[in-house]
Amino acid sequence: QEQLVESGGGLVQAGGSLRLSCAASGLTFSTYAMGWFRQAPGKEREFVAAINWNGGRTNYADSVKGRFTISRDNAKNTVYLQMNSLKPEDTAVYYCAARQFSVVVTPTRYDYWGQGTQVTVSS
């Protein structure tokens, strides 16, 4: 059974950093593109970053470019999101998602989702 489990969320002050992890099981991880999305209260789920199967291609939302870095370790079936220079507007539940083949930004095109991890940035 396919499963994605996020970890690493928490409370941090503005300007701080967090590293999120997403561990995958039950799927051939190295054949999947992986994405990070976030959802703040009262808002729709939005794209944050994505990475292709071998890490050779990444894509970022304009709001996080230069601050967030997505990476993956196929030997550990894990994708990461390093978040630096955090802002209060980054506060949200962060989700990882998986889809086969190409990197896309549309959440409905992802096949599997984790339960999410809360990130709260205080001002």
Side-chain angles (χ1 to χ4, degrees), residues 79-110:
V79 62
Y80 305 98
L81 186 68
Q82 177 68 43
M83 305 187 296
N84 299 329
S85 303
L86 282 161
K87 305 175 181 179
E89 51 263 43
D90 294 319
T91 295
V93 177
Y94 283 71
Y95 300 89
C96 70
R99 73 181 301 272
Q100 284 200 305
F101 311 121
S102 59
V103 167
V104 298
V105 304
T106 307
T108 55
R109 297 180 67 183
Y110 282 77

Side-chain angles (χ1 to χ4, degrees), residues 20-103:
L20 305 184
S21 299
C22 171
S25 60
L27 51 81
T28 307
F29 182 73
S30 61
T31 67
Y32 280 77
M34 300 297 296
W36 285 99
F37 294 80
R38 65 187 181 187
Q39 189 166 18
K43 295 188 177 181
E44 293 188 352
R45 192 167 298 190
E46 66 173 359
F47 170 76
V48 175
I51 189 167
N52 75 332
W53 67 277
N54 68 352
R57 181 185 174 191
T58 58
N59 194 2
Y60 295 93
D62 288 343
S63 59
V64 306
K65 278 182 182 176
R67 300 189 298 123
F68 290 12
T69 302
I70 188 170
S71 62
R72 66 189 296 158
D73 185 340
N74 285 350
K76 296 182 178 179
N77 287 1
T78 301
V79 62
Y80 305 98
L81 186 68
Q82 177 68 43
M83 305 187 296
N84 299 329
S85 303
L86 282 161
K87 305 175 181 179
E89 51 263 43
D90 294 319
T91 295
V93 177
Y94 283 71
Y95 300 89
C96 70
R99 73 181 301 272
Q100 284 200 305
F101 311 121
S102 59
V103 167

